[in-house]
């Protein structure tokens, strides 16, 4: 049986928390599908055109979150909630490894910082195709090490979509170094299978509103820069995951990347890592970005923030005992 078939079997067996969609959430997703139905697909646009399009949607952070530009060797945006506790987050944005920035994802980063009550460093990591793997990963590793020294407190990793893949790649590098380690990892709609082998790439094609397999294949090639998609240091699905900290995974039931999350949870648990998988019914890729339209966005971010804050507080209590 091929990889896709194996994933479908896993889908029925994998222990996951299924989060029901509210009527308002389903209505919001329906509205999003309508709005996005006629937009040009990624595979029909140049990377430059896509970058200009996403930059046009740059949103300000919440007024309760102060934003500072900080140079840690890598440019970052630091989000500081008014009620920030000791501890910090290092965040990698989504964008299929080729578009996006700390600025384009500023509103989402601020929401996560506020939900966790922790300082959040949003990394402006280098993008492909100008900077293929491992440039973005190395920027996140460098940022994590700089933040750990700067904060002198527990630090967690968080990423959405391709950012989820990058923070997981970074976590493996950090695990193998004799230095500070992340106390937890949270990923939303992570893209980690650059070979697109999961069955949901096709099974969920008609329900997904954000991505297409064709566009992802192009972006995977841009990011890989000639590296094989199943290289252990590129895709965590082919790596040893022993020794990673607790991981929270949130995925939408209708997204084409759903099998990435299911396979990730399976691999983590097989390695003895605590992994919580949440499958949000009726949600599409990265629904977290649509706060104000989809109530499940706020709910998911709230749960994400709570998980990260508990992880930081647990380490702090152990260190002070």
């Amino acid at each position: 049986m091929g990889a896709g078939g194996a994933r479908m079997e896993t889908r029925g067996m994998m222990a996951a928390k299924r989060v029901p969609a509210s009527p308002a959430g389903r209505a919001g997703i329906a509205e999003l599908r309508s709005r996005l139905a006629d937009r040009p697909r990624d595979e029909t646009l140049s990377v430059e055109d896509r970058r200009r399009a996403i930059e046009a949607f740059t949103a300000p952070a919440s007024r309760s979150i102060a934003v500072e530009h900080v140079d840690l060797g890598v440019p970052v945006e630091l989000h500081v909630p008014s009620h920030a506790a000791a501890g910090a987050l290092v965040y990698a944005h989504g964008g299929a490894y080729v578009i996006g920035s700390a600025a384009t994802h500023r509103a989402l980063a601020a929401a996560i910082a506020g939900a966790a009550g922790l300082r959040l460093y949003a990394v402006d990591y280098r993008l492909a195709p100008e900077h293929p793997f491992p440039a973005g990963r190395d920027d996140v590793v460098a940022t994590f090490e700089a933040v750990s020294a700067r904060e002198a407190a527990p630090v967690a990793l968080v990423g959405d979509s391709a950012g989820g893949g990058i923070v997981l790649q970074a976590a493996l590098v950090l695990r193998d170094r004799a230095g500070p380690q992340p106390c937890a990892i949270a990923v939303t709609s992570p893209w980690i299978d650059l070979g697109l082998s999961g069955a949901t790439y096709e099974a969920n094609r008609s329900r997904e509103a954000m991505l297409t397999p064709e566009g992802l294949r192009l972006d995977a090639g841009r990011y890989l820069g000639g590296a094989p998609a199943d290289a252990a240091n590129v895709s965590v699905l082919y790596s040893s995951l022993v020794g990673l900290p607790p991981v929270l995974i949130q995925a939408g039931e209708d997204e084409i990347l759903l099998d990435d999350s299911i396979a990730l949870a399976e691999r983590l648990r097989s390695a003895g890592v605590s992994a919580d998988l949440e499958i949000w019914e009726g949600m599409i890729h990265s629904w977290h970005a649509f706060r104000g339209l989809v109530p499940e966005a706020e709910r998911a971010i709230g749960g994400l923030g709570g998980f990260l804050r508990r992880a930081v507080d647990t380490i702090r209590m152990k260190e002070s005992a």
Side-chain angles (χ1 to χ4, degrees), residues 86-104:
L89 308 174
V90 171
Y91 165 75
H93 64 80
Y97 300 99
V98 302
I99 66 173
S101 66
T104 63

Side-chain angles (χ1 to χ4, degrees), residues 43-128:
E43 62 270 20
T44 70
L45 298 172
S46 69
V47 170
E48 292 73 19
D49 285 342
R50 290 164 61 199
R51 287 175 180 170
R52 283 192 289 269
I54 194 171
E55 286 164 5
F57 290 98
T58 298
S62 165
R63 292 180 180 178
S64 65
I65 308 290
V67 181
E68 306 171 24
H69 295 277
V70 180
D71 188 350
L72 299 178
V74 177
V76 303
E77 284 193 354
L78 171 59
H79 296 254
V80 184
S82 58
H83 56 295
L89 308 174
V90 171
Y91 165 75
H93 64 80
Y97 300 99
V98 302
I99 66 173
S101 66
T104 63
H105 287 64
R106 185 175 294 142
L108 178 56
I112 295 171
L118 296 168
R119 294 157 63 88
L120 182 148
Y121 294 79
V123 188
D124 250 332
Y125 60 85
R126 289 168 290 173
L127 300 173

Side-chain angles (χ1 to χ4, degrees), residues 187-257:
V187 291
T188 67
S189 298
W191 183 23
I192 56 174
D193 181 4
L194 296 175
L196 282 70
S197 64
T200 53
Y201 281 94
E202 289 300 328
N204 282 357
R205 177 193 284 267
S206 64
R207 294 187 291 275
E208 175 63 80
M210 299 291 292
L211 307 172
T212 65
E214 293 79 12
L216 290 180
R217 287 191 184 94
L218 289 174
D219 288 336
R222 292 168 175 134
Y223 179 63
L224 289 168
D230 60 354
N233 60 344
V234 176
S235 176
V236 296
L237 296 181
Y238 305 98
S239 305
S240 169
L241 304 182
V242 174
L244 290 184
V247 179
L248 171 65
I249 309 161
Q250 293 181 335
E253 179 186 40
D254 289 352
E255 63 175 302
I256 61 175
L257 297 184

Side-chain angles (χ1 to χ4, degrees), residues 278-302:
E278 297 177 355
I279 298 177
W280 288 66
E281 295 178 359
M283 295 297 108
I284 60 173
H285 181 70
S286 293
W287 74 96
H288 305 70
F290 301 105
R291 295 158 54 242
L293 181 61
V294 181
E296 281 72 14
E298 292 283 7
R299 289 171 54 202
I301 292 170

